[in-house]
Coordinates of all heavy atoms in Angstrom, one line a residue:
M1 N 0.8 -1.2 0.0 CA 0.0 0.0 0.0 C 0.9 1.2 0.0 O 1.9 1.3 0.7 CB -0.9 0.0 1.2 CG -1.7 1.3 1.4 SD -2.9 1.1 2.7 CE -3.9 2.4 2.3
K2 N 0.5 2.2 -0.8 CA 1.3 3.4 -0.9 C 0.9 4.4 0.2 O -0.2 4.3 0.7 CB 1.2 4.1 -2.3 CG -0.2 4.6 -2.6 CD -0.2 5.1 -4.0 CE -1.4 5.9 -4.3 NZ -1.3 7.3 -4.1
H3 N 1.8 5.2 0.6 CA 1.5 6.1 1.7 C 1.7 7.6 1.3 O 1.9 8.5 2.2 CB 2.5 5.8 2.9 CG 2.3 4.5 3.4 ND1 1.2 4.1 4.2 CD2 3.0 3.3 3.2 CE1 1.3 2.8 4.5 NE2 2.4 2.3 3.9
A4 N 1.7 7.9 0.0 CA 2.0 9.2 -0.4 C 1.3 9.4 -1.8 O 0.9 8.4 -2.5 CB 3.5 9.5 -0.6
M5 N 1.2 10.7 -2.2 CA 0.7 10.9 -3.5 C 1.6 12.0 -4.2 O 2.2 12.8 -3.5 CB -0.8 11.4 -3.6 CG -1.0 12.8 -3.0 SD -2.8 13.2 -3.1 CE -2.7 14.9 -2.6
L6 N 1.7 12.0 -5.4 CA 2.6 12.9 -6.2 C 1.8 14.1 -6.6 O 0.7 14.0 -7.2 CB 3.1 12.1 -7.4 CG 4.1 12.9 -8.3 CD1 5.3 13.2 -7.6 CD2 4.4 12.0 -9.5
V7 N 2.3 15.3 -6.3 CA 1.7 16.5 -6.7 C 2.7 17.2 -7.7 O 3.8 17.5 -7.3 CB 1.4 17.5 -5.5 CG1 0.9 18.8 -6.0 CG2 0.5 16.8 -4.5
H8 N 2.2 17.3 -8.9 CA 3.1 17.9 -9.9 C 3.3 19.4 -9.8 O 2.4 20.1 -9.4 CB 2.4 17.6 -11.3 CG 2.3 16.1 -11.6 ND1 3.3 15.5 -12.3 CD2 1.4 15.2 -11.3 CE1 2.9 14.2 -12.4 NE2 1.8 14.0 -11.8
H9 N 4.5 19.8 -10.1 CA 4.8 21.2 -10.0 C 4.0 22.1 -11.0 O 3.7 23.2 -10.7 CB 6.3 21.4 -10.4 CG 7.2 20.9 -9.3 ND1 8.6 20.8 -9.5 CD2 7.0 20.5 -8.0 CE1 9.2 20.3 -8.4 NE2 8.2 20.1 -7.5
D10 N 3.5 21.5 -12.1 CA 2.7 22.3 -13.0 C 1.3 22.6 -12.4 O 0.6 23.3 -13.0 CB 2.7 21.7 -14.4 CG 2.0 20.3 -14.4 OD1 1.9 19.7 -13.4 OD2 1.7 19.8 -15.5
F11 N 1.0 22.0 -11.3 CA -0.3 22.4 -10.6 C -0.2 23.8 -9.9 O -1.2 24.4 -9.5 CB -0.7 21.4 -9.6 CG -1.1 20.0 -10.1 CD1 -1.2 19.0 -9.3 CD2 -1.4 19.9 -11.4 CE1 -1.5 17.7 -9.7 CE2 -1.8 18.6 -11.9 CZ -1.8 17.5 -11.1
E12 N 1.1 24.3 -9.7 CA 1.2 25.5 -9.0 C 0.4 26.7 -9.6 O -0.2 27.4 -8.8 CB 2.7 25.9 -8.9 CG 3.0 27.2 -8.2 CD 4.4 27.6 -8.2 OE1 5.2 27.3 -9.1 OE2 4.8 28.4 -7.2
R13 N 0.5 26.8 -10.9 CA -0.3 27.9 -11.5 C -1.8 27.8 -11.2 O -2.4 28.8 -11.0 CB 0.0 27.9 -13.0 CG -0.4 29.2 -13.7 CD 0.0 29.3 -15.1 NE 0.9 28.3 -15.6 CZ 0.9 27.9 -16.8 NH1 0.2 28.4 -17.7 NH2 1.7 26.9 -17.2
M14 N -2.3 26.6 -11.3 CA -3.7 26.3 -11.0 C -4.0 26.7 -9.5 O -5.0 27.4 -9.3 CB -4.0 24.8 -11.2 CG -5.4 24.4 -10.9 SD -5.8 22.7 -11.3 CE -4.4 21.8 -10.7
F15 N -3.1 26.3 -8.6 CA -3.3 26.6 -7.2 C -3.2 28.1 -6.9 O -4.0 28.7 -6.1 CB -2.4 25.9 -6.3 CG -2.5 24.4 -6.3 CD1 -1.4 23.5 -6.2 CD2 -3.8 23.8 -6.4 CE1 -1.6 22.2 -6.1 CE2 -3.9 22.4 -6.4 CZ -2.8 21.6 -6.2
D16 N -2.3 28.8 -7.6 CA -2.2 30.2 -7.5 C -3.4 31.0 -7.9 O -3.7 32.1 -7.3 CB -1.0 30.7 -8.3 CG 0.3 30.4 -7.6 OD1 0.4 30.0 -6.4 OD2 1.4 30.5 -8.3
R17 N -4.2 30.5 -8.8 CA -5.4 31.1 -9.2 C -6.6 30.9 -8.3 O -7.6 31.6 -8.4 CB -5.8 30.7 -10.6 CG -4.9 31.2 -11.7 CD -5.2 30.7 -13.0 NE -4.6 31.3 -14.2 CZ -3.3 31.5 -14.4 NH1 -2.4 31.1 -13.6 NH2 -2.9 32.1 -15.5
L18 N -6.4 30.0 -7.3 CA -7.5 29.7 -6.3 C -7.2 30.5 -5.0 O -6.0 30.7 -4.7 CB -7.6 28.2 -6.1 CG -7.9 27.3 -7.2 CD1 -7.8 25.9 -6.8 CD2 -9.3 27.6 -7.8
S19 N -8.3 30.7 -4.3 CA -8.0 31.3 -2.9 C -7.5 30.2 -2.0 O -7.6 29.0 -2.3 CB -9.4 31.9 -2.4 OG -10.3 30.8 -2.1
D20 N -7.0 30.6 -0.9 CA -6.5 29.6 0.1 C -7.7 28.7 0.5 O -7.4 27.5 0.7 CB -5.9 30.3 1.3 CG -4.6 31.0 1.0 OD1 -4.0 30.7 -0.1 OD2 -4.1 31.8 1.9
E21 N -8.9 29.3 0.7 CA -10.0 28.4 1.1 C -10.3 27.4 0.0 O -10.6 26.2 0.3 CB -11.2 29.3 1.3 CG -12.4 28.5 1.8 CD -13.7 29.4 2.0 OE1 -13.6 30.6 2.0 OE2 -14.8 28.8 2.1
E22 N -10.3 27.8 -1.3 CA -10.6 26.9 -2.4 C -9.5 25.8 -2.4 O -9.8 24.6 -2.7 CB -10.7 27.7 -3.7 CG -11.9 28.5 -3.8 CD -11.8 29.5 -5.0 OE1 -10.7 30.0 -5.3 OE2 -12.9 29.7 -5.6
C23 N -8.2 26.2 -2.3 CA -7.1 25.3 -2.3 C -7.3 24.2 -1.2 O -7.1 23.0 -1.4 CB -5.8 25.9 -2.1 SG -5.1 26.6 -3.6
G24 N -7.7 24.7 0.0 CA -8.0 23.8 1.1 C -9.1 22.8 0.8 O -8.9 21.6 1.1
K25 N -10.2 23.2 0.3 CA -11.3 22.4 -0.1 C -10.8 21.3 -1.2 O -11.1 20.2 -1.1 CB -12.4 23.2 -0.7 CG -13.2 23.9 0.4 CD -14.3 24.7 -0.3 CE -15.0 25.6 0.8 NZ -16.1 26.4 0.1
L26 N -10.1 21.8 -2.1 CA -9.6 21.0 -3.2 C -8.6 19.9 -2.7 O -8.8 18.7 -3.0 CB -8.9 21.8 -4.3 CG -8.3 21.1 -5.5 CD1 -9.4 20.4 -6.2 CD2 -7.6 22.1 -6.4
L27 N -7.7 20.3 -1.8 CA -6.7 19.4 -1.3 C -7.4 18.3 -0.4 O -7.1 17.1 -0.6 CB -5.7 20.1 -0.4 CG -4.7 19.2 0.2 CD1 -3.9 18.4 -0.8 CD2 -3.7 20.0 1.1
K28 N -8.4 18.7 0.4 CA -9.1 17.7 1.2 C -9.9 16.7 0.3 O -9.9 15.5 0.6 CB -10.1 18.4 2.1 CG -9.4 19.1 3.3 CD -10.5 19.7 4.2 CE -9.8 20.3 5.5 NZ -10.8 20.9 6.4
A29 N -10.5 17.2 -0.8 CA -11.2 16.3 -1.7 C -10.3 15.4 -2.4 O -10.6 14.2 -2.6 CB -12.0 17.2 -2.7
V30 N -9.1 15.9 -2.8 CA -8.1 15.0 -3.5 C -7.6 14.0 -2.6 O -7.5 12.8 -2.9 CB -7.0 15.9 -4.1 CG1 -5.8 15.1 -4.5 CG2 -7.5 16.8 -5.2
L31 N -7.3 14.3 -1.3 CA -6.9 13.3 -0.3 C -7.9 12.3 -0.1 O -7.6 11.1 0.0 CB -6.5 14.0 1.0 CG -5.1 14.7 1.0 CD1 -4.9 15.5 2.2 CD2 -4.0 13.7 0.8
K32 N -9.2 12.7 0.0 CA -10.3 11.7 0.2 C -10.3 10.7 -0.9 O -10.6 9.5 -0.8 CB -11.6 12.4 0.4 CG -11.9 13.0 1.7 CD -13.3 13.7 1.7 CE -13.5 14.4 3.1 NZ -14.8 15.1 3.1
Y33 N -10.1 11.3 -2.1 CA -10.2 10.4 -3.3 C -9.0 9.4 -3.3 O -9.1 8.2 -3.5 CB -10.2 11.2 -4.6 CG -10.2 10.4 -5.8 CD1 -11.4 9.8 -6.3 CD2 -9.0 10.0 -6.5 CE1 -11.4 9.0 -7.4 CE2 -9.0 9.2 -7.6 CZ -10.2 8.7 -8.1 OH -10.2 7.9 -9.2
D34 N -7.8 10.0 -3.1 CA -6.6 9.1 -3.1 C -6.5 8.1 -2.1 O -6.1 7.0 -2.3 CB -5.3 10.0 -3.1 CG -4.1 9.3 -3.5 OD1 -4.1 8.7 -4.6 OD2 -3.1 9.3 -2.8
I35 N -7.0 8.4 -0.9 CA -7.0 7.4 0.2 C -8.1 6.5 0.2 O -8.0 5.3 0.4 CB -6.9 8.2 1.6 CG1 -5.7 9.0 1.7 CG2 -7.1 7.2 2.8 CD1 -5.6 10.0 2.9
R36 N -9.4 7.0 0.0 CA -10.6 6.1 0.2 C -11.4 6.0 -1.1 O -12.5 5.4 -1.1 CB -11.4 6.7 1.3 CG -10.8 6.5 2.7 CD -11.7 7.0 3.8 NE -11.9 8.5 3.8 CZ -11.1 9.4 4.2 NH1 -9.9 9.0 4.7 NH2 -11.4 10.7 4.2
R37 N -10.9 6.6 -2.2 CA -11.7 6.7 -3.4 C -13.1 7.3 -3.3 O -14.0 7.0 -4.0 CB -11.8 5.3 -4.0 CG -10.5 4.7 -4.6 CD -10.0 5.6 -5.7 NE -8.8 5.1 -6.4 CZ -7.7 5.7 -6.4 NH1 -7.5 6.8 -5.7 NH2 -6.7 5.2 -7.0
E38 N -13.2 8.3 -2.4 CA -14.5 9.0 -2.2 C -14.5 10.2 -3.2 O -13.6 11.0 -3.1 CB -14.6 9.6 -0.8 CG -14.8 8.5 0.3 CD -14.9 9.1 1.7 OE1 -15.2 10.3 1.8 OE2 -14.6 8.4 2.6
E39 N -15.4 10.2 -4.1 CA -15.5 11.2 -5.1 C -16.2 12.5 -4.5 O -17.1 12.3 -3.6 CB -16.3 10.8 -6.3 CG -15.6 9.6 -7.0 CD -15.2 9.9 -8.4 OE1 -15.4 11.0 -8.9 OE2 -14.8 9.0 -9.0
T40 N -15.8 13.6 -4.9 CA -16.4 14.9 -4.5 C -16.9 15.6 -5.7 O -16.3 15.6 -6.8 CB -15.3 15.8 -3.8 OG1 -14.8 15.1 -2.6 CG2 -15.9 17.1 -3.3
V41 N -18.1 16.2 -5.5 CA -18.6 17.1 -6.6 C -18.7 18.5 -6.1 O -19.4 18.7 -5.1 CB -20.0 16.6 -7.0 CG1 -20.6 17.5 -8.1 CG2 -19.9 15.1 -7.6
F42 N -18.0 19.4 -6.8 CA -18.1 20.8 -6.4 C -19.1 21.5 -7.2 O -19.2 21.3 -8.4 CB -16.7 21.5 -6.6 CG -15.6 21.0 -5.7 CD1 -14.7 20.1 -6.1 CD2 -15.6 21.4 -4.4 CE1 -13.6 19.7 -5.3 CE2 -14.5 21.0 -3.5 CZ -13.6 20.1 -4.0
E43 N -19.9 22.4 -6.6 CA -20.8 23.3 -7.4 C -20.0 24.3 -8.2 O -20.5 24.6 -9.3 CB -21.8 23.9 -6.4 CG -22.7 23.0 -5.8 CD -23.8 23.7 -4.9 OE1 -24.0 24.9 -5.1 OE2 -24.3 23.0 -4.0
D44 N -18.9 24.7 -7.7 CA -18.1 25.7 -8.4 C -17.4 25.0 -9.6 O -16.6 24.0 -9.4 CB -17.0 26.3 -7.4 CG -16.2 27.3 -8.0 OD1 -15.4 27.0 -8.9 OD2 -16.2 28.5 -7.6
R45 N -17.6 25.5 -10.8 CA -17.1 24.8 -12.0 C -15.5 24.9 -12.0 O -14.9 23.9 -12.4 CB -17.6 25.5 -13.2 CG -19.0 25.1 -13.5 CD -19.5 25.8 -14.8 NE -18.8 25.2 -15.9 CZ -18.5 25.9 -17.0 NH1 -18.9 27.1 -17.2 NH2 -17.8 25.3 -18.0
A46 N -15.0 26.0 -11.5 CA -13.5 26.1 -11.5 C -12.9 25.0 -10.6 O -11.9 24.3 -11.0 CB -13.1 27.5 -11.1
L47 N -13.4 24.9 -9.4 CA -12.9 23.8 -8.5 C -13.1 22.4 -9.1 O -12.3 21.6 -9.0 CB -13.6 23.9 -7.2 CG -13.1 24.9 -6.2 CD1 -13.9 24.9 -4.9 CD2 -11.6 24.6 -5.9
M48 N -14.3 22.2 -9.7 CA -14.5 20.9 -10.3 C -13.5 20.6 -11.4 O -13.0 19.5 -11.6 CB -16.0 20.9 -10.9 CG -16.5 19.5 -11.1 SD -16.7 18.6 -9.5 CE -16.1 17.0 -10.0
L49 N -13.2 21.6 -12.3 CA -12.2 21.4 -13.3 C -10.8 21.1 -12.8 O -10.2 20.2 -13.3 CB -12.2 22.6 -14.2 CG -13.4 22.9 -15.1 CD1 -13.3 24.2 -15.8 CD2 -13.5 21.8 -16.2
C50 N -10.4 21.8 -11.7 CA -9.2 21.5 -11.1 C -9.1 20.1 -10.5 O -8.2 19.4 -10.6 CB -8.9 22.6 -10.0 SG -8.6 24.3 -10.6
Y51 N -10.2 19.8 -9.8 CA -10.3 18.5 -9.2 C -10.2 17.4 -10.2 O -9.4 16.4 -10.1 CB -11.7 18.4 -8.4 CG -12.0 17.1 -7.8 CD1 -11.4 16.7 -6.6 CD2 -12.9 16.2 -8.5 CE1 -11.7 15.4 -6.0 CE2 -13.2 15.0 -7.9 CZ -12.6 14.6 -6.7 OH -12.9 13.4 -6.1
D52 N -11.0 17.5 -11.3 CA -10.9 16.5 -12.4 C -9.5 16.3 -12.9 O -9.1 15.2 -13.2 CB -11.9 16.9 -13.5 CG -13.3 16.6 -13.1 OD1 -13.6 15.9 -12.1 OD2 -14.2 17.2 -13.8
R53 N -8.8 17.5 -13.2 CA -7.5 17.4 -13.7 C -6.5 16.6 -12.7 O -5.7 15.8 -13.2 CB -6.9 18.8 -14.0 CG -5.6 18.8 -14.5 CD -5.1 20.1 -15.0 NE -3.8 20.1 -15.5 CZ -2.8 20.9 -15.2 NH1 -3.1 22.0 -14.5 NH2 -1.6 20.8 -15.7
I54 N -6.6 17.0 -11.5 CA -5.7 16.3 -10.5 C -6.1 14.8 -10.4 O -5.2 14.0 -10.3 CB -5.8 17.0 -9.1 CG1 -5.3 18.5 -9.2 CG2 -5.1 16.2 -8.0 CD1 -5.5 19.3 -8.0
I55 N -7.4 14.5 -10.3 CA -7.8 13.1 -10.2 C -7.3 12.3 -11.4 O -6.8 11.1 -11.2 CB -9.3 13.0 -10.0 CG1 -9.8 13.7 -8.7 CG2 -9.8 11.6 -10.1 CD1 -9.0 13.2 -7.5
D56 N -7.4 12.9 -12.6 CA -6.9 12.2 -13.8 C -5.4 11.8 -13.6 O -5.0 10.7 -13.9 CB -7.1 13.0 -15.0 CG -8.6 13.0 -15.4 OD1 -9.4 12.2 -14.9 OD2 -9.0 13.9 -16.2
C57 N -4.6 12.8 -13.1 CA -3.2 12.6 -12.9 C -3.0 11.5 -11.9 O -2.1 10.7 -12.0 CB -2.5 13.9 -12.5 SG -2.3 15.0 -13.9
L58 N -3.7 11.6 -10.8 CA -3.6 10.6 -9.7 C -3.9 9.2 -10.2 O -3.1 8.3 -9.9 CB -4.5 10.9 -8.5 CG -4.2 12.0 -7.6 CD1 -5.3 12.2 -6.6 CD2 -2.9 11.7 -6.9
D59 N -4.9 9.1 -11.0 CA -5.3 7.8 -11.6 C -4.1 7.2 -12.5 O -3.8 6.1 -12.4 CB -6.6 7.8 -12.3 CG -7.8 8.0 -11.4 OD1 -7.7 7.7 -10.2 OD2 -8.9 8.3 -11.9
R60 N -3.6 8.1 -13.3 CA -2.5 7.7 -14.2 C -1.3 7.3 -13.3 O -0.6 6.2 -13.6 CB -2.1 8.8 -15.1 CG -2.9 8.9 -16.4 CD -2.3 9.8 -17.4 NE -2.1 11.1 -16.9 CZ -3.0 12.1 -16.9 NH1 -4.2 11.9 -17.3 NH2 -2.7 13.3 -16.5
N61 N -0.9 8.1 -12.3 CA 0.2 7.7 -11.5 C 0.0 6.4 -10.7 O 0.9 5.6 -10.6 CB 0.5 8.9 -10.5 CG 1.0 10.1 -11.1 OD1 1.5 10.1 -12.2 ND2 0.8 11.2 -10.4
N62 N -1.3 6.2 -10.2 CA -1.6 5.0 -9.5 C -1.5 3.8 -10.4 O -1.0 2.7 -10.0 CB -2.9 5.0 -8.9 CG -3.0 5.9 -7.6 OD1 -1.9 6.2 -7.0 ND2 -4.1 6.5 -7.3
E63 N -1.9 3.9 -11.7 CA -1.8 2.8 -12.6 C -0.3 2.4 -12.9 O 0.1 1.3 -12.9 CB -2.4 3.1 -13.9 CG -4.0 3.1 -13.9 CD -4.6 3.6 -15.2 OE1 -3.9 3.7 -16.2 OE2 -5.8 4.0 -15.1
K64 N 0.5 3.5 -13.0 CA 2.0 3.2 -13.2 C 2.6 2.6 -12.0 O 3.4 1.6 -12.1 CB 2.7 4.5 -13.5 CG 2.4 5.1 -14.8 CD 3.1 6.5 -15.0 CE 2.8 7.1 -16.3 NZ 3.4 8.5 -16.4
Y65 N 2.2 3.0 -10.8 CA 2.7 2.4 -9.5 C 2.3 1.0 -9.4 O 3.1 0.1 -9.1 CB 2.1 3.2 -8.4 CG 2.5 2.7 -7.0 CD1 3.8 2.9 -6.5 CD2 1.6 2.0 -6.3 CE1 4.1 2.4 -5.2 CE2 1.9 1.5 -5.0 CZ 3.2 1.7 -4.5 OH 3.5 1.2 -3.3
E66 N 1.0 0.7 -9.7 CA 0.6 -0.7 -9.6 C 1.3 -1.6 -10.6 O 1.7 -2.7 -10.3 CB -0.9 -0.8 -9.9 CG -1.8 -0.2 -8.8 CD -1.6 -0.9 -7.4 OE1 -1.5 -2.1 -7.4 OE2 -1.6 -0.2 -6.4
E67 N 1.5 -1.1 -11.8 CA 2.3 -1.9 -12.8 C 3.7 -2.1 -12.4 O 4.2 -3.2 -12.6 CB 2.2 -1.1 -14.2 CG 3.0 -1.8 -15.3 CD 2.3 -3.1 -15.7 OE1 1.2 -3.4 -15.4 OE2 3.0 -3.9 -16.4
T68 N 4.3 -1.1 -11.8 CA 5.7 -1.3 -11.3 C 5.7 -2.3 -10.2 O 6.6 -3.2 -10.2 CB 6.2 0.1 -10.8 OG1 6.3 1.0 -11.9 CG2 7.6 -0.1 -10.2
C69 N 4.8 -2.2 -9.3 CA 4.7 -3.2 -8.2 C 4.6 -4.6 -8.8 O 5.2 -5.6 -8.4 CB 3.6 -2.9 -7.3 SG 3.9 -1.4 -6.3
R70 N 3.6 -4.8 -9.7 CA 3.4 -6.1 -10.4 C 4.7 -6.6 -11.0 O 5.0 -7.8 -10.8 CB 2.3 -6.0 -11.4 CG 1.8 -7.3 -11.9 CD 0.8 -7.2 -13.1 NE 1.3 -6.5 -14.2 CZ 2.2 -6.9 -15.1 NH1 2.7 -8.2 -15.0 NH2 2.6 -6.2 -16.1
K71 N 5.4 -5.8 -11.8 CA 6.6 -6.2 -12.4 C 7.7 -6.6 -11.4 O 8.4 -7.6 -11.6 CB 7.1 -5.1 -13.3 CG 6.3 -5.0 -14.6 CD 6.9 -3.9 -15.5 CE 6.1 -3.7 -16.8 NZ 6.6 -2.6 -17.6
R72 N 7.8 -5.9 -10.3 CA 8.8 -6.2 -9.3 C 8.4 -7.5 -8.6 O 9.3 -8.3 -8.3 CB 8.8 -5.1 -8.3 CG 9.5 -3.9 -8.8 CD 9.7 -2.8 -7.8 NE 10.3 -1.6 -8.4 CZ 10.5 -0.5 -7.8 NH1 10.0 -0.3 -6.6 NH2 11.1 0.5 -8.4
V73 N 7.2 -7.8 -8.4 CA 6.8 -9.1 -7.8 C 7.1 -10.2 -8.7 O 7.7 -11.3 -8.3 CB 5.3 -9.1 -7.5 CG1 4.8 -10.5 -7.2 CG2 5.0 -8.2 -6.3
E74 N 6.8 -10.1 -10.0 CA 7.2 -11.1 -11.0 C 8.7 -11.3 -11.1 O 9.1 -12.5 -11.1 CB 6.6 -10.7 -12.4 CG 5.1 -10.8 -12.5 CD 4.6 -10.2 -13.8 OE1 5.5 -9.8 -14.7 OE2 3.4 -10.2 -14.0
A75 N 9.4 -10.3 -11.0 CA 10.9 -10.4 -11.1 C 11.4 -11.1 -9.9 O 12.3 -12.0 -10.0 CB 11.5 -9.0 -11.2
A76 N 10.9 -10.8 -8.7 CA 11.3 -11.5 -7.5 C 11.0 -12.9 -7.5 O 11.8 -13.8 -7.1 CB 10.7 -10.8 -6.3
K77 N 9.8 -13.3 -8.0 CA 9.4 -14.7 -8.1 C 10.3 -15.4 -9.0 O 10.8 -16.5 -8.7 CB 8.0 -14.8 -8.6 CG 6.9 -14.5 -7.6 CD 5.5 -14.7 -8.2 CE 4.5 -14.3 -7.1 NZ 3.1 -14.4 -7.7
K78 N 10.7 -14.8 -10.2 CA 11.6 -15.5 -11.1 C 13.0 -15.6 -10.5 O 13.6 -16.7 -10.7 CB 11.7 -14.6 -12.4 CG 12.6 -15.3 -13.4 CD 12.5 -14.6 -14.7 CE 13.4 -15.2 -15.8 NZ 14.4 -16.2 -15.5
R79 N 13.4 -14.6 -9.8 CA 14.7 -14.7 -9.1 C 14.8 -15.9 -8.2 O 15.7 -16.6 -8.1 CB 15.0 -13.4 -8.4 CG 16.5 -13.1 -8.2 CD 16.7 -11.7 -7.8 NE 15.8 -11.0 -6.9 CZ 14.9 -10.0 -7.3 NH1 14.9 -9.6 -8.5 NH2 14.1 -9.5 -6.4
W80 N 13.7 -16.0 -7.4 CA 13.7 -17.1 -6.4 C 13.6 -18.5 -7.1 O 14.2 -19.5 -6.6 CB 12.5 -16.9 -5.4 CG 12.9 -16.0 -4.3 CD1 12.4 -14.7 -4.1 CD2 13.8 -16.2 -3.3 NE1 13.0 -14.2 -3.0 CE2 13.8 -15.1 -2.5 CE3 14.6 -17.3 -2.9 CZ2 14.7 -14.9 -1.4 CZ3 15.4 -17.2 -1.8 CH2 15.4 -16.0 -1.0
E81 N 12.8 -18.5 -8.2 CA 12.8 -19.8 -8.9 C 14.1 -20.2 -9.5 O 14.5 -21.3 -9.4 CB 11.8 -19.7 -10.1 CG 10.3 -19.6 -9.7 CD 9.4 -19.3 -10.8 OE1 9.8 -19.3 -12.0 OE2 8.2 -19.1 -10.5
D82 N 14.9 -19.2 -10.0 CA 16.2 -19.4 -10.5 C 17.1 -19.9 -9.4 O 17.9 -20.8 -9.6 CB 16.8 -18.1 -11.2 CG 16.1 -17.8 -12.4 OD1 15.3 -18.6 -13.0 OD2 16.3 -16.6 -12.9
I83 N 17.0 -19.3 -8.2 CA 17.9 -19.7 -7.1 C 17.5 -21.1 -6.7 O 18.4 -21.9 -6.4 CB 17.6 -18.7 -5.9 CG1 18.3 -17.4 -6.2 CG2 18.2 -19.3 -4.6 CD1 18.0 -16.3 -5.2
R84 N 16.2 -21.5 -6.6 CA 15.8 -22.8 -6.3 C 16.4 -23.9 -7.3 O 16.8 -24.9 -6.9 CB 14.3 -22.9 -6.2 CG 13.8 -22.4 -4.9 CD 12.3 -22.7 -4.7 NE 11.7 -21.7 -3.8 CZ 10.8 -20.8 -4.1 NH1 10.2 -20.8 -5.3 NH2 10.3 -20.0 -3.2
E85 N 16.3 -23.5 -8.6 CA 16.7 -24.4 -9.6 C 18.3 -24.6 -9.5 O 18.8 -25.7 -9.6 CB 16.4 -23.9 -11.0 CG 14.9 -24.0 -11.3 CD 14.6 -23.3 -12.7 OE1 15.5 -23.0 -13.4 OE2 13.4 -23.2 -12.9
T86 N 19.0 -23.5 -9.2 CA 20.4 -23.6 -9.1 C 20.8 -24.5 -7.9 O 21.7 -25.3 -8.0 CB 21.0 -22.2 -8.9 OG1 20.7 -21.4 -10.0 CG2 22.5 -22.2 -8.8
K87 N 20.1 -24.3 -6.7 CA 20.3 -25.1 -5.6 C 20.0 -26.6 -5.8 O 20.8 -27.5 -5.4 CB 19.5 -24.6 -4.4 CG 20.1 -23.4 -3.8 CD 19.3 -23.0 -2.6 CE 19.8 -21.7 -1.9 NZ 19.0 -21.3 -0.7
A88 N 18.9 -26.8 -6.6 CA 18.5 -28.2 -6.9 C 19.6 -28.9 -7.8 O 19.9 -30.0 -7.6 CB 17.2 -28.2 -7.6
T89 N 20.1 -28.1 -8.7 CA 21.2 -28.6 -9.6 C 22.4 -29.0 -8.8 O 23.0 -30.0 -9.1 CB 21.5 -27.6 -10.7 OG1 20.3 -27.2 -11.4 CG2 22.6 -28.1 -11.6
Y90 N 22.8 -28.1 -7.9 CA 24.0 -28.4 -7.1 C 23.8 -29.6 -6.1 O 24.7 -30.3 -5.8 CB 24.5 -27.2 -6.4 CG 25.2 -26.2 -7.3 CD1 24.7 -24.9 -7.4 CD2 26.3 -26.5 -8.0 CE1 25.3 -24.0 -8.3 CE2 26.9 -25.6 -8.9 CZ 26.4 -24.4 -9.0 OH 27.0 -23.5 -9.8
A91 N 22.6 -29.7 -5.7 CA 22.2 -30.8 -4.7 C 22.2 -32.1 -5.4 O 22.4 -33.2 -4.7 CB 20.9 -30.5 -4.0
S92 N 21.9 -32.2 -6.7 CA 21.8 -33.4 -7.4 C 23.1 -34.1 -7.6 O 24.2 -33.8 -7.6 CB 21.2 -33.3 -8.7 OG 19.9 -32.7 -8.6

């Protein structure tokens, strides 16, 4: 399980255009989504657009993370199989 989320530097301009209160609401909604997959719907169109953009990035990052984890598990399994085969060969 991951314990962090990636916030891209190119979000800075978007955050600068929002008030501190709007940024706080947006951040809380993004964290709820990233941790518990709870979706938020904002009445404010600007906040909703920002939210959607960030969520799309989070989803892409999470997919890449899951793929990396899957490949690492497969590589570890193969490594252990190779080690077992090598030990079996020397034991014979």
Side-chain angles (χ1 to χ4, degrees):
M1 174 174 198
K2 66 185 191 94
H3 299 282
M5 71 178 187
L6 181 63
V7 177
H8 296 266
H9 289 169
D10 60 346
F11 292 164
E12 180 183 23
R13 194 171 355 150
M14 177 176 46
F15 293 146
D16 284 345
R17 287 175 167 60
L18 300 173
S19 69
D20 289 347
E21 182 181 348
E22 290 170 325
C23 276
K25 289 178 182 179
L26 182 59
L27 179 59
K28 285 182 176 184
V30 168
L31 284 171
K32 282 181 185 177
Y33 180 82
D34 196 50
I35 295 168
R36 294 183 292 282
R37 289 298 184 244
E38 291 179 21
E39 299 240 4
T40 300
V41 177
F42 292 102
E43 291 183 22
D44 182 294
R45 285 183 66 211
L47 276 179
M48 198 67 222
L49 289 169
C50 294
Y51 176 79
D52 286 341
R53 181 170 176 223
I54 294 170
I55 295 308
D56 288 344
C57 284
L58 282 177
D59 287 343
R60 278 192 303 275
N61 291 340
N62 286 336
E63 286 174 19
K64 288 178 187 176
Y65 176 78
E66 292 297 324
E67 179 67 14
T68 299
C69 290
R70 186 186 62 75
K71 286 180 179 178
R72 287 181 179 172
V73 165
E74 289 174 3
K77 285 180 182 177
K78 183 174 180 344
R79 202 167 38 249
W80 279 108
E81 288 172 10
D82 292 346
I83 289 171
R84 284 188 202 118
E85 288 176 13
T86 302
K87 285 182 179 180
T89 302
Y90 286 119
S92 302

